[in-house]
Amino acid sequence: MGEGTATLLWMRRDLRLSDHPALGAAIARGGPVIPVFILDDLAETLGAAPKWRLGLSLEDLARRLEAMGSRLILRRGDATQTLRALVAETGAGAVYWSRAYDPDSVARDKAVKAALKQDGLDARSHEGHLMFEPWTVETGTGGFYRVYTPFWRAVKERGVPEPEPAPSHIPAPKDWPLSDALEDWRLAAAMDRGAAICRPYQRVGEDAAQGRLGWFTGHAIGAYDTARDLPAEDGTSGLSENLALGEISPRRCWHAGMRALHEGKPGAETWLKELVWREFAYHLAWHTPRIVNRNWREDWDAFPWNEDEDHPHVIAWKQGRTGIPFVDAAMREMYVTGRMHNRARMIVASYLTKHLLSHWRIGQKWFEECLTDWDPASNAMGWQWSAGSGPDATPYFRVFNPETQVQKFDPKSRYLDRWIAEGRRNPTDTALSYFDAIPRKWGLSADDIYPEPIVSVKDGRAKALAAYERRGF
DNA sequence: TTGGCCTTGGG
DNA sequence: CCAAGGCCA
């Protein structure tokens, strides 16, 4: 590898051009830069909604690269083999990427790095997906934080690098390697019925994300402290889908939030804390990889969860037919839009794991199937927080009451009206759209009778608390 | 070692 | 008012 050899920029969850240290390093290295996305096992096995959303992001990124004389090379297969093949085809001397922190990605990247280094290549991972590297945040005794608030206190005064602008030019190779056609990957295949309905709810790509960040920190963040709790309001940043795919960097969000804080806008600190929750989730995944698929507190293995995904209660939960309006509205919002309001996520998670006594992994898997903002670390941490099995989790006896929650956070039933059609004289278009988004085989119609609760708020709470009292730990 | 404390609640 | 175990300094 000498001066002027090409650098492969292996892109994954960093689908942006600004504030991208790996891209910056690739350009600084001097030779041509070849951006590549590989549809490997990890991408291939994404849930239906995040896989489809990934395709939208890749389409946008490719267009932006082409506009500046570059390209996005698409390849399918094992990451190591594919990168080796590309090195052979292009004579590249280096492969750069943005570091990932979830266990599956870490395992893959370790293998890739070892193989490429063995080939004598400059194989290097870079920062950018997080604001703080997991190994740099330690408690007084040298461990990692298991409780959020001390974690927050440990990082909030740290400096976060200012976001870098996008490069004005990305040096192109004389000859581009061949690329797959994005359409041939059929990333929308599992979304066939719902995709057209879901599409208008997506804000795709770096420009859209930065525009939204500007609107949010400029006009909405001041009301964030209260508006963020109201599922019928557009009171949150809504940037989770962009952060999940790296269409925007957390550093850029941090600095926009800090500016709002310095301008004295009241909700700014609360929002900065939310950005740090994302960090916390990734740090936990990095320090305790089991968080993504096992009870983080192992004594919860003894808890008598229902683990049957085909249990009628679970099916009703997934289909938004529990008979509990707030729960059903939320599940339908997710199916139609690919997102779900934060407060609603807590309520459906509480209902599944407590009233229905079903394992959090069932919910985790369904969210992975349905959420366009799906993120391995946040999803795992959120579910274990709700279930009570995770770090700094809500105590198990703290059972959300979905009726009380409606009174508090949706008193005019705007959220319920938006998503529930059955039994309404004039159902809203959004509520009706649910029945066009769902698979026909579910056999549901807007003319159905709205179900009675499969498990009442009162009985479910009592049963959950009883199961917790009887637990063997 | 000890004591203050812990995202989002219920009744 | 309740609930609690464990984290962190």
Side-chain angles (χ1 to χ4, degrees):
Chain A
M1 59 174 182
E3 282 303 316
T5 62
T7 304
L8 299 180
L9 179 68
W10 176 28
M11 302 188 81
R12 301 99 57 87
R13 286 186 177 271
D14 54 351
L15 304 178
R16 65 176 178 275
L17 300 179
S18 75
D19 199 32
H20 195 306
L23 172 59
I27 292 171
R29 193 173 158 271
V33 176
I34 302 173
V36 49
F37 183 90
I38 300 170
L39 187 65
D40 65 354
D41 279 350
L42 245 73
E44 198 81 73
T45 55
L46 283 170
K51 194 172 185 178
W52 164 72
R53 179 62 177 78
L54 168 68
L56 300 181
S57 192
L58 293 173
E59 192 183 0
D60 182 79
L61 178 67
R63 202 168 29 230
R64 298 189 62 223
L65 283 166
E66 281 160 27
M68 52 196 298
S70 184
R71 289 188 194 180
L72 181 63
I73 301 302
L74 303 175
R75 293 287 177 104
R76 180 178 218 154
D78 170 76
T80 301
Q81 288 175 22
T82 305
L83 289 167
R84 277 182 161 159
L86 278 165
V87 166
E89 291 169 37
T90 62
V95 184
Y96 289 175
W97 63 90
S98 304
R99 206 166 293 136
Y101 306 86
D102 62 289
D104 290 341
S105 300
V106 168
R108 174 197 59 191
D109 295 352
K110 248 177 103 170
V112 166
K113 192 176 205 173
L116 297 181
K117 279 194 173 290
Q118 197 171 38
D119 297 347
L121 291 159
D122 175 13
R124 204 175 302 189
S125 67
H126 296 261
E127 301 182 351
H129 196 56
L130 297 178
M131 297 186 287
F132 316 107
E133 296 293 2
W135 45 89
T136 67
V137 183
E138 292 185 336
T139 66
T141 52
F144 63 94
Y145 284 99
R146 292 163 165 82
V147 178
Y148 175 75
T149 301
F151 180 85
W152 160 254
R153 283 196 277 257
V155 301
K156 66 174 181 171
E157 304 292 349
R158 284 198 187 188
V160 171
E162 288 279 352
E164 299 284 341
S168 52
H169 175 68
I170 299 176
K174 269 201 214 61
D175 298 304
W176 284 97
L178 291 176
S179 171
D180 291 357
L182 186 57
E183 313 83 74
D184 293 345
W185 283 0
R186 305 199 65 240
L187 297 178
M191 280 285 278
D192 274 348
R193 274 181 63 79
I197 295 165
C198 198
R199 181 64 184 85
Y201 295 99
Q202 310 306 307
R203 266 190 296 269
V204 177
E206 187 166 15
D207 288 341
Q210 289 190 22
R212 176 70 181 185
L213 176 67
W215 173 82
F216 177 73
T217 54
H219 300 101
I221 202 170
Y224 183 67
D225 277 329
T226 49
R228 74 192 190 114
D229 273 327
L230 310 175
E233 299 283 332
D234 187 21
T236 66
S237 77
L239 288 166
S240 53
E241 60 178 302
N242 311 109
L243 283 162
L245 288 166
E247 294 172 351
I248 196 164
S249 77
R251 294 172 177 181
R252 182 179 296 282
C253 296
W254 178 264
H255 282 280
M258 285 301 274
R259 276 194 298 279
L261 184 69
H262 292 137
E263 290 162 10
K265 292 179 177 165
E269 181 171 271
T270 310
W271 189 65
L272 290 169
K273 281 186 173 173
E274 295 298 323
L275 283 176
V276 170
W277 269 97
R278 175 179 174 276
E279 301 280 312
F280 188 51
Y282 267 107
H283 286 213
L284 288 168
W286 193 81
H287 287 290
T288 50
R290 69 175 186 279
I291 198 172
V292 303
N293 53 18
R294 295 207 301 275
N295 290 315
W296 190 83
R297 298 185 196 279
E298 288 173 14
D299 43 10
W300 278 81
D301 292 352
F303 194 79
W305 304 109
N306 161 57
E307 300 199 43
D308 176 11
E309 295 182 43
D310 299 322
H311 190 290
H313 285 173
V314 170
I315 292 173
W317 179 83
K318 289 182 179 175
Q319 296 185 348
R321 294 276 295 172
T322 65
I324 307 292
F326 206 154
V327 173
D328 294 339
M331 298 305 287
R332 295 175 188 201
E333 178 190 28
M334 175 167 71
Y335 211 89
V336 171
T337 68
R339 20 184 358 116
M340 188 194 293
H341 192 275
N342 168 256
R343 176 152 296 278
R345 294 187 198 207
M346 292 187 289
I347 290 163
V348 302
S350 174
Y351 189 78
L352 180 74
T353 57
K354 294 173 183 179
H355 292 80
L356 301 184
L357 286 170
S358 289
H359 203 292
W360 57 266
R361 269 199 304 262
I362 294 175
Q364 178 197 31
K365 271 179 68 179
W366 186 242
F367 273 27
E368 179 169 353
E369 184 69 12
C370 297
L371 284 173
T372 54
D373 69 7
W374 178 76
D375 170 292
S378 295
N379 196 40
M381 185 192 67
W383 274 98
Q384 298 223 47
W385 181 86
S386 292
S389 60
D392 204 15
T394 180
Y396 190 85
F397 56 78
R398 198 173 281 176
V399 180
F400 280 71
N401 179 329
E403 289 162 359
T404 310
Q405 291 278 313
V406 170
Q407 298 307 316
K408 283 187 180 168
F409 301 115
D410 191 37
K412 293 182 180 164
S413 292
R414 289 174 55 216
Y415 185 64
L416 305 189
D417 289 341
R418 188 176 298 163
W419 295 116
I420 295 179
E422 297 98 314
R424 306 286 209 275
R425 196 169 305 152
N426 292 307
T428 58
D429 289 345
T430 43
L432 291 172
S433 73
Y434 175 67
F435 296 92
D436 295 322
I438 59 177
R440 196 161 288 145
K441 67 180 175 198
W442 287 6
L444 301 179
S445 153
D447 300 324
D448 292 340
I449 294 169
Y450 186 68
E452 289 298 310
I454 53 171
V455 171
S456 79
V457 166
K458 188 163 168 280
D459 294 352
R461 177 185 167 83
K463 275 161 81 178
L465 292 176
Y468 181 65
E469 292 305 325
R470 269 188 272 105
R471 76 203 187 281
F473 56 93

